[in-house]
Amino acid sequence: DADVTQTPRNRITKTGKRIMLECSQTKGHDRMYWYRQDPGLGLRLIYYSFDVKDINKGEISDGYSVSRQAQAKFSLSLESAIPNQTALYFCATSSGNQPQHFGDGTRLSIL
Amino acid sequence: QKEVEQNSGPLSVPEGAIASLNCTYSDRGSQSFFWYRQYSGKSPELIMSIYSNGDKEDGRFTAQLNKASQYVSLLIRDSQPSDSATYLCAVNPVGGSGTYKYIFGTGTRLKVLA
């Protein structure tokens, strides 16, 4: 089983819909992150969390919200999806200064 | 100046050759450095971590770090077509528990020609 699991893997939805992407991990890491990746732009940080009561904005948080339901679970919501949020979304986890470990990603298309 | 810079490529090398990928970073206090491989449409996969100056070898991969010159490189020996991917350099500007930041470069696309 994957250490960092993202659901769904693919999602197609319409403008204005609310969408939730979920991430769970079995690595026991305290830190969790949400990124989006667009062609030519690399990975951009949306939100990150150091523990259950800690939520922080990244560089592109507008239009997104997150919830850290437990140490192992971190979900990303798009309250009212718009087409320019079409991207590949990754959840990652880490501990201390160790490298981040990524989930398999969610390919999100907003029509 | 970008915080982490990589040549976008593509870097084309023949099968069996050495591929050399380079990355420069701007924060002189950076402590942790990582190389990830990413196949198209897939997630980044950690290849190497390096924390101190010098070389670190793991199989066909060697990471090289020079903090004085602020660059980190990845050498892939005996390159194979399956090595064709985008390679991401990531830097953690400040070591220890007090920072969240992992700064990623935009990646270098490597093509290994059979």
Side-chain angles (χ1 to χ4, degrees), chain A residues 55-87:
Chain A
I55 299 291
N56 303 280
K57 292 182 177 180
E59 56 185 305
I60 55 160
S61 59
D62 287 348
Y64 302 94
S65 62
V66 291
S67 174
R68 185 85 182 262
Q69 302 96 320
Q71 187 183 26
K73 295 183 182 294
F74 193 36
S75 59
L76 175 72
S77 294
L78 287 68
E79 297 302 325
S80 180
I82 55 177
N84 76 0
Q85 291 177 313
T86 293

Short mmCIF file of all heavy atoms in Angstrom, two decimals, chain A residues 55-87:
data_model
loop_
_atom_site.label_atom_id
_atom_site.label_comp_id
_atom_site.label_asym_id
_atom_site.label_seq_id
_atom_site.Cartn_x
_atom_site.Cartn_y
_atom_site.Cartn_z
N ILE A 55 -2.37 25.35 10.62
CA ILE A 55 -2.67 25.48 9.19
C ILE A 55 -2.02 26.77 8.71
O ILE A 55 -2.17 27.82 9.35
CB ILE A 55 -4.18 25.57 8.93
CG1 ILE A 55 -4.91 24.31 9.43
CG2 ILE A 55 -4.46 25.81 7.44
CD1 ILE A 55 -4.63 23.06 8.64
N ASN A 56 -1.32 26.69 7.57
CA ASN A 56 -0.61 27.86 7.06
C ASN A 56 -0.80 27.98 5.56
O ASN A 56 -0.82 26.98 4.84
CB ASN A 56 0.89 27.73 7.34
CG ASN A 56 1.17 27.55 8.82
OD1 ASN A 56 1.18 28.50 9.58
ND2 ASN A 56 1.38 26.31 9.23
N LYS A 57 -0.93 29.23 5.11
CA LYS A 57 -1.07 29.48 3.68
C LYS A 57 0.28 29.35 3.00
O LYS A 57 1.32 29.77 3.53
CB LYS A 57 -1.63 30.87 3.44
CG LYS A 57 -3.07 31.03 3.90
CD LYS A 57 -3.57 32.43 3.59
CE LYS A 57 -5.04 32.57 3.99
NZ LYS A 57 -5.55 33.92 3.69
N GLY A 58 0.24 28.84 1.78
CA GLY A 58 1.41 28.82 0.93
C GLY A 58 1.38 29.98 -0.03
O GLY A 58 0.74 31.01 0.22
N GLU A 59 2.03 29.83 -1.15
CA GLU A 59 2.15 30.96 -2.09
C GLU A 59 0.90 31.20 -2.94
O GLU A 59 0.73 32.28 -3.48
CB GLU A 59 3.37 30.74 -2.99
CG GLU A 59 3.36 29.44 -3.75
CD GLU A 59 4.66 29.21 -4.53
OE1 GLU A 59 5.02 30.09 -5.33
OE2 GLU A 59 5.27 28.15 -4.34
N ILE A 60 0.01 30.20 -3.05
CA ILE A 60 -1.17 30.36 -3.93
C ILE A 60 -2.43 29.84 -3.25
O ILE A 60 -3.14 29.00 -3.79
CB ILE A 60 -0.96 29.66 -5.29
CG1 ILE A 60 -0.58 28.19 -5.12
CG2 ILE A 60 0.10 30.37 -6.13
CD1 ILE A 60 -0.85 27.37 -6.37
N SER A 61 -2.77 30.33 -2.08
CA SER A 61 -3.88 29.78 -1.31
C SER A 61 -5.27 30.32 -1.71
O SER A 61 -6.29 29.72 -1.34
CB SER A 61 -3.65 30.04 0.18
OG SER A 61 -3.53 31.44 0.40
N ASP A 62 -5.32 31.41 -2.44
CA ASP A 62 -6.62 31.99 -2.80
C ASP A 62 -7.46 31.00 -3.58
O ASP A 62 -7.01 30.40 -4.55
CB ASP A 62 -6.43 33.26 -3.64
CG ASP A 62 -5.93 34.42 -2.81
OD1 ASP A 62 -5.94 34.31 -1.56
OD2 ASP A 62 -5.54 35.44 -3.41
N GLY A 63 -8.73 30.83 -3.13
CA GLY A 63 -9.65 29.91 -3.81
C GLY A 63 -9.61 28.50 -3.26
O GLY A 63 -10.38 27.65 -3.69
N TYR A 64 -8.73 28.27 -2.27
CA TYR A 64 -8.58 26.96 -1.66
C TYR A 64 -8.75 27.06 -0.15
O TYR A 64 -8.51 28.11 0.45
CB TYR A 64 -7.19 26.38 -1.94
CG TYR A 64 -6.83 26.22 -3.38
CD1 TYR A 64 -6.13 27.21 -4.06
CD2 TYR A 64 -7.17 25.06 -4.07
CE1 TYR A 64 -5.79 27.07 -5.39
CE2 TYR A 64 -6.82 24.90 -5.41
CZ TYR A 64 -6.13 25.91 -6.06
OH TYR A 64 -5.79 25.75 -7.37
N SER A 65 -9.14 25.94 0.47
CA SER A 65 -9.13 25.83 1.92
C SER A 65 -8.69 24.41 2.27
O SER A 65 -8.72 23.51 1.42
CB SER A 65 -10.50 26.14 2.54
OG SER A 65 -11.47 25.21 2.09
N VAL A 66 -8.25 24.21 3.51
CA VAL A 66 -7.79 22.89 3.93
C VAL A 66 -8.34 22.56 5.30
O VAL A 66 -8.78 23.43 6.05
CB VAL A 66 -6.25 22.79 3.97
CG1 VAL A 66 -5.64 22.84 2.58
CG2 VAL A 66 -5.67 23.87 4.89
N SER A 67 -8.27 21.28 5.62
CA SER A 67 -8.64 20.79 6.93
C SER A 67 -7.69 19.66 7.31
O SER A 67 -7.46 18.76 6.52
CB SER A 67 -10.09 20.28 6.91
OG SER A 67 -10.41 19.68 8.14
N ARG A 68 -7.13 19.76 8.53
CA ARG A 68 -6.27 18.68 9.04
C ARG A 68 -7.10 17.95 10.10
O ARG A 68 -7.15 18.32 11.27
CB ARG A 68 -4.99 19.28 9.66
CG ARG A 68 -3.99 18.24 10.11
CD ARG A 68 -3.10 17.80 8.98
NE ARG A 68 -2.18 16.77 9.40
CZ ARG A 68 -0.90 16.98 9.75
NH1 ARG A 68 -0.41 18.20 9.77
NH2 ARG A 68 -0.14 15.97 10.09
N GLN A 69 -7.72 16.88 9.66
CA GLN A 69 -8.69 16.18 10.52
C GLN A 69 -8.01 15.32 11.58
O GLN A 69 -8.58 15.01 12.63
CB GLN A 69 -9.63 15.30 9.68
CG GLN A 69 -10.40 16.05 8.60
CD GLN A 69 -9.73 15.99 7.24
OE1 GLN A 69 -8.50 16.08 7.16
NE2 GLN A 69 -10.50 15.84 6.19
N ALA A 70 -6.82 14.89 11.27
CA ALA A 70 -6.03 14.05 12.17
C ALA A 70 -4.59 14.17 11.70
O ALA A 70 -4.33 14.74 10.64
CB ALA A 70 -6.51 12.60 12.09
N GLN A 71 -3.65 13.65 12.47
CA GLN A 71 -2.27 13.76 12.03
C GLN A 71 -2.08 13.12 10.67
O GLN A 71 -1.26 13.56 9.86
CB GLN A 71 -1.30 13.11 13.03
CG GLN A 71 0.14 13.40 12.63
CD GLN A 71 1.16 12.73 13.53
OE1 GLN A 71 0.88 11.71 14.14
NE2 GLN A 71 2.32 13.32 13.63
N ALA A 72 -2.86 12.08 10.39
CA ALA A 72 -2.66 11.33 9.15
C ALA A 72 -3.51 11.82 7.99
O ALA A 72 -3.40 11.29 6.90
CB ALA A 72 -2.93 9.86 9.40
N LYS A 73 -4.35 12.81 8.20
CA LYS A 73 -5.30 13.20 7.15
C LYS A 73 -5.29 14.70 6.93
O LYS A 73 -5.40 15.49 7.87
CB LYS A 73 -6.71 12.75 7.51
CG LYS A 73 -6.89 11.24 7.58
CD LYS A 73 -8.32 10.87 7.88
CE LYS A 73 -8.50 9.37 8.00
NZ LYS A 73 -8.27 8.68 6.73
N PHE A 74 -5.22 15.08 5.65
CA PHE A 74 -5.15 16.49 5.28
C PHE A 74 -5.93 16.64 3.98
O PHE A 74 -5.55 16.07 2.96
CB PHE A 74 -3.68 16.88 5.09
CG PHE A 74 -3.39 18.35 5.00
CD1 PHE A 74 -4.08 19.28 5.75
CD2 PHE A 74 -2.37 18.81 4.18
CE1 PHE A 74 -3.78 20.63 5.69
CE2 PHE A 74 -2.05 20.17 4.11
CZ PHE A 74 -2.76 21.08 4.87
N SER A 75 -7.03 17.39 4.01
CA SER A 75 -7.85 17.51 2.82
C SER A 75 -7.82 18.92 2.27
O SER A 75 -7.66 19.90 3.01
CB SER A 75 -9.30 17.09 3.12
OG SER A 75 -9.85 17.90 4.14
N LEU A 76 -7.97 19.01 0.98
CA LEU A 76 -7.95 20.29 0.25
C LEU A 76 -9.31 20.50 -0.39
O LEU A 76 -9.82 19.59 -1.06
CB LEU A 76 -6.87 20.26 -0.84
CG LEU A 76 -6.79 21.47 -1.77
CD1 LEU A 76 -6.24 22.68 -1.03
CD2 LEU A 76 -5.91 21.16 -2.98
N SER A 77 -9.90 21.67 -0.22
CA SER A 77 -11.20 21.97 -0.81
C SER A 77 -11.11 23.15 -1.76
O SER A 77 -10.39 24.13 -1.49
CB SER A 77 -12.23 22.29 0.27
OG SER A 77 -12.50 21.16 1.06
N LEU A 78 -11.83 23.03 -2.85
CA LEU A 78 -12.05 24.15 -3.76
C LEU A 78 -13.53 24.51 -3.57
O LEU A 78 -14.41 23.72 -3.93
CB LEU A 78 -11.79 23.75 -5.21
CG LEU A 78 -10.33 23.55 -5.64
CD1 LEU A 78 -9.71 22.33 -4.98
CD2 LEU A 78 -10.25 23.46 -7.15
N GLU A 79 -13.80 25.64 -2.96
CA GLU A 79 -15.18 25.99 -2.60
C GLU A 79 -16.06 26.22 -3.82
O GLU A 79 -17.22 25.82 -3.84
CB GLU A 79 -15.18 27.23 -1.70
CG GLU A 79 -14.47 27.01 -0.36
CD GLU A 79 -15.07 25.88 0.45
OE1 GLU A 79 -16.31 25.68 0.41
OE2 GLU A 79 -14.32 25.18 1.15
N SER A 80 -15.52 26.87 -4.82
CA SER A 80 -16.26 27.14 -6.05
C SER A 80 -15.26 27.06 -7.19
O SER A 80 -14.58 28.04 -7.50
CB SER A 80 -16.91 28.52 -5.98
OG SER A 80 -17.63 28.79 -7.17
N ALA A 81 -15.16 25.89 -7.78
CA ALA A 81 -14.09 25.63 -8.75
C ALA A 81 -14.20 26.52 -9.99
O ALA A 81 -15.31 26.83 -10.47
CB ALA A 81 -14.14 24.16 -9.15
N ILE A 82 -13.03 26.90 -10.49
CA ILE A 82 -12.96 27.68 -11.73
C ILE A 82 -11.96 27.00 -12.67
O ILE A 82 -11.07 26.27 -12.20
CB ILE A 82 -12.54 29.14 -11.46
CG1 ILE A 82 -11.24 29.20 -10.67
CG2 ILE A 82 -13.65 29.88 -10.72
CD1 ILE A 82 -10.73 30.62 -10.44
N PRO A 83 -12.10 27.23 -13.98
CA PRO A 83 -11.26 26.50 -14.93
C PRO A 83 -9.75 26.64 -14.71
O PRO A 83 -9.01 25.70 -14.97
CB PRO A 83 -11.70 27.07 -16.29
CG PRO A 83 -13.13 27.43 -16.07
CD PRO A 83 -13.18 27.96 -14.67
N ASN A 84 -9.28 27.79 -14.22
CA ASN A 84 -7.83 27.92 -14.06
C ASN A 84 -7.29 27.18 -12.84
O ASN A 84 -6.09 27.24 -12.55
CB ASN A 84 -7.36 29.39 -14.10
CG ASN A 84 -7.65 30.15 -12.83
OD1 ASN A 84 -8.21 29.62 -11.88
ND2 ASN A 84 -7.26 31.41 -12.80
N GLN A 85 -8.17 26.44 -12.15
CA GLN A 85 -7.72 25.54 -11.11
C GLN A 85 -7.51 24.12 -11.65
O GLN A 85 -7.18 23.20 -10.90
CB GLN A 85 -8.70 25.52 -9.94
CG GLN A 85 -8.72 26.83 -9.17
CD GLN A 85 -9.74 26.87 -8.05
OE1 GLN A 85 -10.91 26.49 -8.25
NE2 GLN A 85 -9.33 27.31 -6.88
N THR A 86 -7.68 23.97 -12.94
CA THR A 86 -7.35 22.72 -13.59
C THR A 86 -5.84 22.50 -13.49
O THR A 86 -5.05 23.34 -13.92
CB THR A 86 -7.76 22.74 -15.07
OG1 THR A 86 -9.19 22.78 -15.15
CG2 THR A 86 -7.23 21.52 -15.81
N ALA A 87 -5.45 21.37 -12.88
CA ALA A 87 -4.02 21.13 -12.63
C ALA A 87 -3.86 19.73 -12.06
O ALA A 87 -4.83 19.01 -11.82
CB ALA A 87 -3.44 22.16 -11.65
#
